[in-house]
Amino acid sequence: MNITRENKDALNAVVTVAIEKDDYATKVEKILTDYRKTANIPGFRKGHVPMGMVKKQYGKAVLIDEVNKLIQDGLNKYLTEEKLDVLGQPLPKPQDDIDWSSENFSFEFELGLAPDFKVDLKSKKAITHYNIKADDKMIDDQIINIQKQYGKLISQDTVTKDSEITGTFTNEAEEIDNKVTLTLDKFKGKATEKQFVGAKVGDVITLKTKGLYEDDHELMHALKVEHDKAHGLNIEVNFEISEINKRELAELDQELFDKLFGKDGVKSVTELKDKIREDAEKQFVQQSDQKLLNDVTEHLVENTKFDLPAEFLTKWMQTAGETTMDEATAKDEYEKSEKSLRYQLIEAKIMEANGLKVDFEDVKESAKAMIKMQMAQFGQMNPTDKELDDIAARVLSNQEEVKRLSEQVVSQKLLNLYKEQANVKTKELTYDKFVKEVYGDK
């Protein structure tokens, strides 16, 4: 077998695989001999079928199968030995006129080659890494929420500003019939609050849905309607009050602290505030790191310039999936996935250039950290190493979980690298200001 390559340009090549009779003859002969021993053909005893008849009946199929195996094995070996970084898979050039009665064969395959490029982590403009702090207002609000959550409900005769009101939203024409518990501070306008204050159980209040809440997602949950329907919904709904309560705040005492953090985990309001601040800022770190990772990724994709074998990849995508695509669909799919493909190449280049690898121990430790965190949420603060190893083994038996954890490990390694090598500036601000700066609103 002889394999040669002709480079059409920097991103495209054609590989020719030439197969001669000596490459396959012995193997084909052996398979046909084995067939002869077991062939069951009427008029002949088992094992005594003439070889000519066996070749006539099975010869072509065996030959095609063996030649295809030779091609596949030869191509894989060639790509490895030549250290060719290919995109997709080799595409066979159409050959409808193969003469399988001849002794020698030649096949051509198109290759899409990965581009050669360099990645510069140092952007001219610094990328912001946010250091998000929990301010006093956030801590105080969280304490109030805790006091409400663990407080007592006291029945009321009439609605006041701080009541918790249970009732049912209805609109017969729109088939709305949903029981909820709400508080007046969630409504957008003061006029709605005035409609409720002083109302009693059994009263029915008519409300307009347009502008009822600041966020239409609140309306979606209140009325239990589809997402698209909630946006811009402009109808009247009735709300019949069935229960009115006032929530008495729980005392900030040792009994509450122990419920929240275990016995003597927190011993004062000051320690409670410190604990809430610490937990909140841990979550902020995850959010800030993800924002940095996204921003560096976006910068690299936009500023690392290289060409791709677009025509080859479009053609490859037509047959790469479970179902065959036509040319127009494949072109559309390629355009949608081009940005992702570019980042995959950039990521691989960065990993290789910096010696970053993900091995099984990395994935296992990531699994154990995840398990430990989940167990802590259910009060199991100190699991043994054996417990963690046993659960991790079950998690890692799932290939989808292994893939997900591996991707998380890669992201963490890249994040650490970006913090060290990218042009990053730190900006400290509160969570509210972070949301406003990054997302444009609160």
Side-chain angles (χ1 to χ4, degrees), residues 21 39 79 190-191 206 211 283 318 377 383 440:
K21 184 176 180 180
L79 296 178
K190 291 291 183 182
T206 300
Q283 294 182 16
Q318 286 185 255
Q377 292 174 354

Side-chain angles (χ1 to χ4, degrees), residues 98-297:
I98 301 174
D99 181 7
W100 291 104
S101 64
S102 65
E103 295 183 344
N104 302 323
F105 308 98
S106 180
F107 304 90
E108 290 184 334
F109 293 84
E110 296 179 67
L111 299 183
L113 305 177
D116 185 23
F117 61 94
K118 292 182 179 179
V119 180
D120 184 6
L121 292 178
K122 291 287 186 182
S123 57
K124 290 182 180 179
K125 183 180 179 182
I127 296 172
T128 302
H129 186 214
Y130 293 95
N131 181 15
I132 308 170
K133 295 295 183 181
D135 59 12
D136 291 341
K137 181 180 181 303
M138 173 178 279
I139 304 304
D140 291 341
D141 287 347
Q142 183 61 27
I143 288 175
I144 293 295
N145 288 336
I146 290 171
Q147 288 181 280
K148 286 181 178 179
Q149 182 181 349
Y150 288 89
K152 296 178 181 177
L153 282 177
I154 299 173
S155 180
Q156 292 180 292
D157 293 328
T158 58
V159 174
T160 59
K161 283 187 177 183
D162 55 358
S163 295
E164 289 187 12
I165 309 152
T166 300
T168 303
F169 279 109
T170 57
N171 178 298
E172 188 174 346
E174 297 292 335
E175 298 182 344
I176 293 170
D177 188 352
N178 190 47
K179 186 175 182 179
V180 295
T181 297
L182 53 82
T183 55
L184 299 182
D185 59 317
K186 295 293 185 181
F187 291 122
K188 183 177 181 180
K190 291 291 183 182
T192 304
E193 181 181 294
K194 289 179 181 178
Q195 284 184 267
F196 276 88
V197 172
K200 296 180 171 56
V201 171
D203 286 355
V204 176
I205 297 171
T206 300
L207 302 165
K208 290 185 177 180
T209 59
K210 186 176 182 180
L212 186 60
Y213 291 97
E214 288 282 358
D215 186 347
D216 283 339
H217 291 92
E218 293 275 4
L219 183 67
M220 178 180 76
H221 295 302
L223 304 184
K224 204 172 182 179
V225 295
E226 295 294 328
H227 179 275
D228 291 344
K229 185 175 181 178
H231 286 282
L233 185 65
N234 187 13
I235 60 172
E236 285 190 346
V237 291
N238 291 325
F239 184 84
E240 183 175 353
I241 300 173
S242 57
E243 191 176 337
I244 307 168
N245 294 296
K246 181 178 180 181
R247 190 169 289 273
E248 183 180 86
L249 300 183
E251 291 292 329
L252 295 175
D253 54 20
Q254 194 60 48
E255 181 182 354
L256 178 60
F257 300 156
D258 290 347
K259 283 181 182 178
L260 294 171
F261 304 106
K263 185 165 178 59
D264 295 333
V266 165
K267 295 183 179 179
S268 67
V269 173
T270 300
E271 289 184 15
L272 173 64
K273 289 184 176 183
D274 290 342
K275 180 65 176 173
I276 292 172
R277 190 184 306 275
E278 178 187 351
D279 290 346
E281 290 181 354
K282 279 182 181 178
Q283 294 182 16
F284 296 159
V285 167
Q286 295 176 0
Q287 199 164 348
S288 174
D289 282 352
Q290 187 61 53
K291 172 65 176 162
L292 176 63
L293 189 63
N294 293 344
D295 288 347
V296 175
T297 297

Side-chain angles (χ1 to χ4, degrees), residues 12 87-88 91 112 308-318 330 334 341:
N12 295 275
L87 302 178
L91 279 178
L308 288 169
E311 186 178 341
F312 168 84
L313 289 170
T314 302
K315 193 185 298 184
W316 171 70
M317 290 180 75
Q318 286 185 255
Y334 170 73
L341 174 58

